[in-house]
């Protein structure tokens, strides 16, 4: 053997259990032992990524030494590595050539060896060709029988150029003992290797004959099926005499056997068919069984669509349908990339949360189109019966599967994109909690065996990409929320809305109203005027309706006179068509006032501004709160008042103000419910302004929770609140220091137009927002507070 050694390498050694790696073939194995992981990682860090794969002598042994590994193996190149659960790594290698390890050593916690290439020794060419032809014929007999030879292996064998390559490919596809494969790998002489290969093939032929003989003997001993066939023929004759030929049962049997159902479900369905044969077609139970079988056969069990392999095509489709939404597009691209590398992975459970009209539902349809999958939409708004998710038991009259299986039936494949719309709108009542029923369907660890009460058998939902949408996470139960990957969508800026209108909404409405580009021209100033004056939303639904209104009015003109010139929309033309703008910036709200502070709120429909008003009147020191405030907001007002009262002397508030005056805090609009702690510093500023008579800057807005110690705590929905502030022309926003990290997610145009000032304590808020009044002789801390203004932002006296 040593005469045939060439090409020396120092390589990490992979001890392979239960397999032998051959040149000219691919080998896939999973690595879990620390020693092997180190060897794989060491090889993966090198430029050529080469390893020596040697088979382990005793497969079951975990703790091994160099003596437990064969010294003859295969030098292979690592092609792909993928991480599996439990710290296991799946490795794909391509065998290059046989090699002999001079000595296997241990270094750095893994095996390594200096190895030499094992070259084949060739003898009589005619004799070698004779053995080669005999081997080819035997391979066709052994692997070709009973479908053991796959098309891929057959094609690869046909393309083999020499005996060595042919043996390598054939043995890699055969199930023979590891010792025989290893003996063939170690043999350098080609003729001797062919002889060994032929002996192996002859043994396999003998085994196949014995297996066939055993199978024949078993079939002869079984006469039960023949008996059933005879009785079934008699039943057919009876049905014929009764005018019923019994073909329906036979059709069901054929469909059940051809459907590819799980073994236990197939057996159950065939039993149901046997029950049908014994019943009259007019029997109610007959119709129940027939309906059940039809539902089972209508479901997809093995039907599957093929995902697109092109990341560029996927991104192109998503960009063509939607502007922005980068987080969602990035997540789908990541899923497709991992799927492309691993070949199989559990579909993610995504939850898109954001205000109405930002594209949550429509992007789900685009995802299905981008992945080349079927799309199913199921609205959960108003669902309050658990049976709508899990179905009814067949004991009930009119029982049907749940809406999840109904959606799968409509999809016709086991891997659709399944949209569960408005998941935050489901409610529970006496019929059960639908959210609890969704726990199993939306759990990647459980949904492979989802059980519908009607089906009475597990159904695999693991390949379904579930996407849920919600306006708010508050109403989604915590266990259900924990099972989903939350992706938050914020409202659009003015620039984003303009771009969306130009790219998508205008062309869509032109087509919907029978117009062309030559009929009307939407200028950018006109679109901005429509956004600012006729819509007040986080999304673009109202904007689309507004664009549609313009298009309809243009359509009326062209319907009356087709020679009407092209309508060029200007701001004046828009106002002429739509009337006076419905929304205007309240200039008065931007002026400095006593007891009136601009606050910011975040709701399920986006961000908004609100004015907190406070005033004092003669009384007994009572606090009155109006504006349909929730309990949390009322408690924030109490905390704000308690803090100011505790520090009244420092802020120049007379003690009599808390005993001889009543304080009234009101938050317009009075009919709109409001709650949450984020208005704490806003209420505190309004109260202090009312008690001291000092004005509050009108060009500043604020948001943050207040504590009894005067600390300002973080809040949620900063981006939505910032967009709302920008809409009304506010240039400075006070935010909690804990939300400073969230500024990175804000659009650049918002950060350029608005100055955000992070604060830790409410003293900083008062210094920034409250101005000195005309007569301030008794205000002890006025100058001290003003000097603490950060970032160069200072109050202006209102003299």
């Amino acid at each position: 053997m040593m005469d045939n050694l060439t090409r020396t390498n120092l390589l990490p050694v992979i001890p392979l259990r239960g397999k032998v790696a051959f040149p000219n073939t691919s080998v896939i194995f999973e690595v879990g032992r620390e020693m092997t992981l180190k060897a794989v990682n060491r090889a993966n860090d090198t430029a050529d990524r080469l390893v020596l794969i040697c088979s382990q002598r005793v497969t079951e042994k975990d703790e091994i030494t160099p003596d437990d590994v064969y010294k003859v193996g295969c030098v292979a190149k690592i092609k792909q590595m993928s991480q599996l659960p439990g710290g296991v790594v799946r490795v794909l290698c391509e065998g290059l050539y046989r090699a002999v390890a001079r000595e296997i050593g241990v270094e750095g916690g893994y095996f390594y060896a200096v190895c030499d290439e094992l070259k084949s020794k060739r003898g009589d060419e005619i004799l070698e060709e004779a053995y080669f032809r005999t081997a080819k014929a035997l391979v066709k007999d052994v692997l070709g029988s009973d479908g053991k030879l796959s098309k891929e292996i057959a094609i690869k064998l046909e393309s083999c150029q020499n005996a060595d390559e042919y043996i390598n490919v054939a043995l890699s596809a055969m199930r023979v003992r590891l010792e025989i494969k290893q003996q063939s790998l170690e043999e350098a002489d080609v003729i001797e290797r062919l002889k060994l290969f032929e002996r192996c093939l002859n043994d396999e032929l003998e085994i196949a004959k014995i297996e066939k003989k055993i199978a024949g003997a078993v079939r002869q001993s079984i006469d039960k099926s023949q008996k059933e066939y005879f009785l079934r023929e008699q039943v057919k004759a009876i049905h014929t005499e009764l005018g019923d030929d019994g073909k329906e049962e036979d059709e069901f049997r054929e469909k059940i056997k051809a459907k590819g159902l799980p073994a236990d479900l197939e057996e159950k369905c065939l039993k149901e068919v046997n029950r049908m044969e014994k019943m009259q077609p007019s029997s109610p139970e007959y119709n129940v069984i027939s309906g059940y079988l039809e539902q089972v056969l209508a479901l997809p069990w093995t039907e599957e669509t093929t995902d697109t392999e092109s990341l560029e095509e996927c991104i192109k489709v998503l960009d063509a349908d939607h502007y922005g939404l980068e987080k969602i597009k990035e997540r789908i691209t990541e899923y497709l990339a991992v799927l492309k590398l691993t070949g199989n992975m559990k579909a993610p459970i995504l939850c898109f949360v954001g205000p109405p009209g930002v594209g949550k539902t429509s992007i789900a349809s685009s995802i299905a189109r981008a992945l080349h999958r079927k799309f199913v939409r199921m609205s959960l708004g108003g669902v309050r019966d658990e049976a709508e998710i899990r179905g009814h038991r067949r004991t009930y009259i009119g029982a049907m599967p749940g809406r999840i299986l109904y959606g799968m039936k409509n999809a016709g494949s086991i891997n659709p994109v399944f949209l569960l719309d408005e998941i935050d709108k489901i409610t529970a009542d006496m019929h059960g909690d639908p959210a609890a029923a969704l726990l199993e369907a939306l759990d990647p660890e459980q949904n492979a065996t989802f059980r519908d009460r009607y089906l009475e058998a597990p159904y695999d939902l693991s390949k379904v990409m579930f996407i849920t949408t919600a306006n708010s996470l508050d109403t989604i139960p915590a266990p259900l929320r924990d099972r989903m990957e939350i992706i938050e969508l914020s409202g659009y800026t003015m620039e984003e809305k303009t771009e969306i209108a130009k790219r998508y909404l205008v062309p869509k409405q032109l087509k919907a109203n029978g117009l062309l580009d030559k009929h009307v021209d939407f200028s950018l100033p006109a679109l901005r005027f429509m956004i600012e004056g006729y819509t007040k939303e986080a999304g673009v639904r109202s904007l689309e309706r507004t664009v549609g209104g313009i298009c309809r009015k243009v359509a009326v003109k062209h319907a009356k006179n087709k020679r009407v010139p092209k309508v060029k929309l200007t701001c004046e033309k828009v106002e002429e068509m739509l009337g006076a703008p419905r929304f205007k910036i309240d200039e008065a709200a931007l002026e400095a006032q006593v007891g009136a502070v601009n606050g910011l709120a975040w709701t399920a429909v986006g961000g908004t501004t609100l004015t907190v008003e406070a005033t004092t009147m003669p009384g007994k020191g009572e606090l009155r709160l109006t504006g349909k405030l929730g309990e949390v907001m009322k408690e924030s007002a109490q905390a704000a008042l308690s803090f100011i009262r505790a520090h009244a002397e420092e802020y120049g508030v007379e003690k009599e103000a808390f005993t001889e005056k009543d304080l009234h805090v009101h938050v317009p609009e009075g009919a709109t419910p409001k709650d949450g702690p984020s208005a704490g510093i806003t209420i505190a500023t309004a109260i202090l302004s009312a008690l001291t008579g000092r004005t509050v800057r009108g060009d500043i807005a604020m948001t943050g929770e207040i504590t009894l110690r005067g600390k300002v705590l973080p809040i949620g929905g900063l981006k939505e609140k910032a967009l709302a502030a920008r809409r009304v022309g506010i240039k400075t926003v006070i935010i909690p220091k804990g939300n400073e990290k969230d500024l990175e997610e804000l659009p650049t145009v918002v950060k350029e137009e608005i100055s955000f000032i992070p604060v830790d304590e409410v003293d900083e808020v008062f210094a920034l927002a409250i101005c000195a009044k005309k007569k301030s002789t008794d205000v002890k801390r006025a100058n001290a507070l003003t000097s603490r203004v950060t970032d160069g932002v200072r109050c202006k006296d209102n003299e």
Side-chain angles (χ1 to χ4, degrees):
M1 183 183 292
M2 296 300 294
D3 297 334
N4 300 286
L5 299 179
T6 62
R7 199 181 343 181
T8 302
N9 279 316
L10 176 62
L11 298 175
V13 177
I14 305 296
L16 197 60
R17 295 203 277 193
K19 288 184 180 181
V20 175
F22 286 96
N24 314 113
T25 64
S26 297
V27 58
I28 300 175
F29 55 93
E30 293 178 356
V31 177
R33 289 184 291 190
E34 183 178 358
M35 170 189 64
T36 314
L37 282 171
K38 288 181 179 180
V40 170
N41 291 329
R42 175 68 183 89
N44 195 46
D45 291 338
T46 62
D48 51 15
R49 305 177 76 187
L50 296 180
V51 293
L52 175 62
I53 302 177
C54 296
S55 297
Q56 189 173 314
R57 296 179 186 274
V58 181
T59 303
E60 296 78 12
K61 196 172 182 179
D62 287 327
E63 300 295 332
I64 60 173
T65 64
D67 294 331
D68 295 319
V69 179
Y70 289 105
K71 290 192 175 182
V72 178
C74 177
V75 174
K77 183 173 185 179
I78 297 176
K79 291 291 187 180
Q80 181 178 309
M81 294 174 59
S82 55
Q83 191 71 39
L84 299 179
V88 178
V89 176
R90 179 176 291 166
V91 184
L92 169 63
C93 292
E94 185 70 25
L96 301 179
Y97 56 88
R98 294 184 290 169
V100 181
R102 295 180 183 176
E103 184 177 0
I104 298 177
V106 182
E107 182 178 355
Y110 64 91
F111 290 170
Y112 73 98
V114 176
C115 58
D116 303 302
E117 182 180 1
L118 177 59
K119 285 286 188 178
S120 297
K121 180 182 177 182
R122 302 200 174 274
D124 189 336
E125 292 182 359
I126 297 175
L127 185 60
E128 179 182 327
E129 182 62 20
Y131 277 111
F132 191 17
R133 290 183 183 182
T134 306
K136 284 184 177 180
L138 286 171
V139 165
K140 290 182 179 179
D141 292 338
V142 174
L143 297 182
S145 62
D146 300 328
K148 293 181 180 178
L149 182 62
S150 66
K151 291 182 179 180
E152 293 79 5
I153 298 298
I155 294 172
K156 199 167 184 180
L157 286 172
E158 288 294 328
S159 63
C160 290
Q161 301 296 323
N162 55 62
D164 265 333
E165 184 179 352
Y166 192 92
I167 294 171
N168 292 336
V169 174
L171 282 177
S172 67
M174 293 174 61
R175 293 185 179 180
V176 297
R177 296 198 313 277
L178 184 141
E179 293 79 9
I180 296 176
K181 290 186 176 184
Q182 182 66 30
Q183 188 178 354
S184 175
L185 186 71
E186 293 177 358
E187 183 58 56
D189 190 289
V190 177
I191 294 177
E192 289 299 319
R193 200 175 183 211
L194 281 167
K195 290 178 180 179
L196 178 64
F197 183 51
E198 286 186 20
R199 287 197 297 272
C200 175
L201 291 173
N202 284 318
D203 290 342
E204 287 297 309
L205 275 177
E206 289 299 321
I207 292 172
K209 290 178 182 178
I210 295 172
E211 288 177 346
K212 190 174 181 181
K213 184 177 179 180
I214 293 172
V218 171
R219 279 196 299 269
Q220 290 176 4
S221 64
I222 299 175
D223 59 351
K224 182 180 178 181
S225 60
Q226 297 177 352
K227 181 180 179 181
E228 289 180 352
Y229 174 77
F230 177 73
L231 293 174
R232 197 172 292 116
E233 290 297 319
Q234 286 187 328
V235 172
K236 284 184 181 179
I238 294 172
H239 280 300
T240 303
E241 291 296 326
L242 294 173
D244 173 25
D245 56 9
K247 288 183 178 179
E248 187 176 8
E249 290 82 359
D250 291 338
E251 290 177 1
F252 273 130
R253 283 194 184 89
E254 293 175 4
K255 291 178 180 178
I256 289 168
K257 292 177 180 178
K259 186 66 177 176
L261 301 175
D264 53 346
L265 182 59
E266 180 176 332
E267 181 181 356
K268 178 180 178 179
C269 289
L270 290 174
K271 287 181 179 179
E272 294 290 338
V273 174
N274 293 336
R275 287 181 60 201
M276 283 180 64
E277 285 186 324
K278 301 172 185 177
M279 298 178 184
Q280 292 290 337
S282 58
S283 169
E285 185 66 16
Y286 184 95
N287 294 325
V288 170
I289 296 174
S290 176
Y292 172 77
L293 295 175
E294 288 174 356
Q295 292 288 351
V296 171
L297 294 173
L299 286 170
W301 294 93
T302 56
E303 298 85 349
E304 185 175 1
T305 56
T306 304
D307 288 341
T308 179
E309 295 184 357
S310 172
L311 293 176
E312 293 76 13
E313 181 184 349
C314 177
I315 296 171
K316 184 178 179 181
V317 172
L318 294 175
D319 287 340
D321 290 348
H322 290 83
Y323 179 80
L325 305 181
E326 299 302 330
K327 287 185 179 179
I328 295 178
K329 294 177 181 178
E330 181 181 357
R331 182 63 183 88
I332 298 304
T333 306
E334 291 171 354
Y335 165 73
L336 192 60
V338 175
L339 184 65
K340 186 176 180 181
L341 291 176
T342 62
N344 185 26
M345 70 172 292
K346 292 179 180 177
I349 313 293
L350 306 178
C351 180
F352 301 158
V353 181
V358 296
K360 301 185 296 297
T361 302
S362 58
I363 190 68
S365 176
S366 296
I367 289 171
R369 195 164 70 89
L371 296 177
H372 293 177
R373 292 191 178 193
K374 300 292 183 66
F375 177 68
V376 182
R377 176 181 173 272
M378 171 181 164
S379 177
L380 294 175
V383 173
R384 59 181 63 201
D385 188 354
E386 183 187 1
E388 291 200 47
I389 307 297
R390 285 190 176 276
H392 298 84
R393 291 185 177 87
R394 284 195 291 155
T395 53
Y396 296 103
I397 297 174
M400 292 291 289
R403 294 175 64 179
I404 290 181
L405 288 194
Y406 182 78
M408 294 299 296
K409 182 178 73 171
N410 290 340
S413 70
I414 61 174
N415 63 335
V417 173
F418 203 123
L419 175 65
L420 299 173
D421 211 3
E422 308 293 354
I423 197 171
D424 56 330
K425 308 298 190 299
I426 55 178
T427 55
D429 67 359
M430 59 182 292
H431 299 291
D433 187 358
L438 285 172
L439 291 177
E440 183 182 6
L442 298 184
D443 190 339
E445 301 300 326
Q446 299 182 40
N447 61 10
T449 55
F450 174 75
R451 299 189 76 92
D452 186 278
R453 289 173 180 157
Y454 181 84
L455 190 63
E456 297 177 341
Y459 187 81
D460 188 2
L461 296 174
S462 61
K463 294 187 178 181
V464 179
M465 177 182 281
F466 282 105
I467 297 177
T468 65
T469 67
N471 298 129
S472 172
L473 293 174
D474 297 339
T475 57
I476 303 177
L480 184 58
R481 190 167 62 243
D482 182 62
R483 283 163 166 77
M484 301 184 292
E485 180 179 342
I486 308 297
I487 300 179
E488 294 186 357
L489 283 72
S490 302
Y492 294 117
T493 63
M494 163 69 74
E495 291 72 18
E496 289 172 332
K497 288 183 179 180
T498 305
E499 195 67 26
I500 291 170
K502 184 175 68 175
R503 292 190 188 185
Y504 307 103
L505 303 185
V506 170
K508 179 181 177 181
Q509 288 299 321
L510 288 177
K511 183 178 179 180
N513 292 280
L515 298 176
L516 301 173
D517 290 336
K518 66 180 182 180
H519 293 141
V520 60
D521 179 23
F522 284 82
S523 65
L524 290 181
L527 287 173
R528 294 193 187 100
F529 180 64
M530 291 164 62
I531 294 168
E532 290 180 339
Y534 297 90
T535 67
K536 188 180 181 182
E537 58 177 349
V540 291
R541 281 185 183 150
S542 294
L543 178 58
E544 183 175 4
R545 286 192 289 268
T546 305
V547 172
I550 294 286
C551 291
R552 288 192 296 274
K553 294 186 181 299
V554 174
V556 170
K557 290 185 178 182
H558 279 275
K560 292 179 178 178
N561 182 6
K562 293 186 177 181
R563 295 183 179 180
V564 173
K566 184 176 184 178
V567 178
K568 295 186 178 181
L569 286 179
T570 61
C571 297
E572 294 77 13
K573 197 72 174 177
V574 170
E575 188 168 354
E576 178 187 332
M577 289 184 171
L578 299 178
R582 295 194 292 272
F583 305 103
K584 292 184 179 179
I585 296 177
D586 186 2
E587 300 292 344
L590 301 180
E591 297 177 359
Q593 302 178 60
V594 175
V597 185
N598 293 319
L600 299 172
W602 178 39
T603 69
V605 295
T608 184
T609 57
L610 51 82
T611 303
V612 176
E613 301 173 342
T615 187
T616 59
M617 64 202 79
K620 300 178 181 180
E622 295 181 355
L623 174 63
R624 182 177 300 175
L625 302 171
T626 58
K628 209 170 185 180
L629 309 185
E631 289 299 321
V632 176
M633 200 167 184
K634 289 179 180 179
E635 291 172 0
S636 293
Q638 293 285 356
L641 179 59
S642 297
F643 174 78
I644 293 173
R645 190 169 183 176
H647 301 81
E649 186 177 350
E650 299 175 22
Y651 296 126
V653 180
E654 298 177 357
K655 293 182 179 179
E656 293 76 10
F658 299 104
T659 58
E660 299 177 1
K661 292 182 180 180
D662 286 346
L663 186 63
H664 186 172
V665 177
H666 178 68
V667 185
E669 300 146 345
T672 305
K674 309 166 193 72
D675 204 1
S678 65
I681 63 173
T682 313
I683 297 173
T685 306
I687 291 175
L688 183 59
S689 172
L691 291 173
T692 60
R694 293 156 60 192
T695 58
V696 180
R697 288 176 53 186
D699 65 338
I700 199 168
M702 60 188 71
T703 179
E705 181 179 352
I706 189 174
T707 70
L708 288 175
R709 296 175 298 155
K711 298 294 183 182
V712 181
L713 301 185
I715 46 82
L718 180 61
K719 181 178 180 182
E720 301 294 344
K721 294 176 179 179
L723 294 176
R726 182 177 181 239
R727 279 199 298 268
V728 299
I730 289 174
K731 300 300 181 183
T732 305
V733 175
I734 299 174
I735 64 172
K737 189 78 172 178
N739 287 110
E740 193 171 9
K741 63 183 184 302
D742 299 327
L743 294 176
E744 297 179 1
E745 298 183 6
L746 297 184
T748 304
V749 65
V750 175
K751 290 187 283 189
E752 290 175 351
E753 294 186 13
I754 298 179
S755 174
F756 293 91
I757 305 177
V759 296
D760 272 327
E761 297 184 0
V762 74
D763 275 357
E764 300 175 63
V765 178
F766 295 158
L768 289 164
I770 299 180
C771 304
K773 67 176 183 179
K774 293 181 180 179
K775 298 178 181 179
S776 56
T777 55
D778 59 344
V779 180
K780 297 181 179 180
R781 298 189 62 194
N783 295 331
L785 289 176
T786 304
S787 66
R788 293 177 63 184
V789 177
T790 58
D791 296 335
V793 180
R794 296 186 178 276
C795 278
K796 296 180 180 178
D797 291 341
N798 295 287
E799 299 188 65

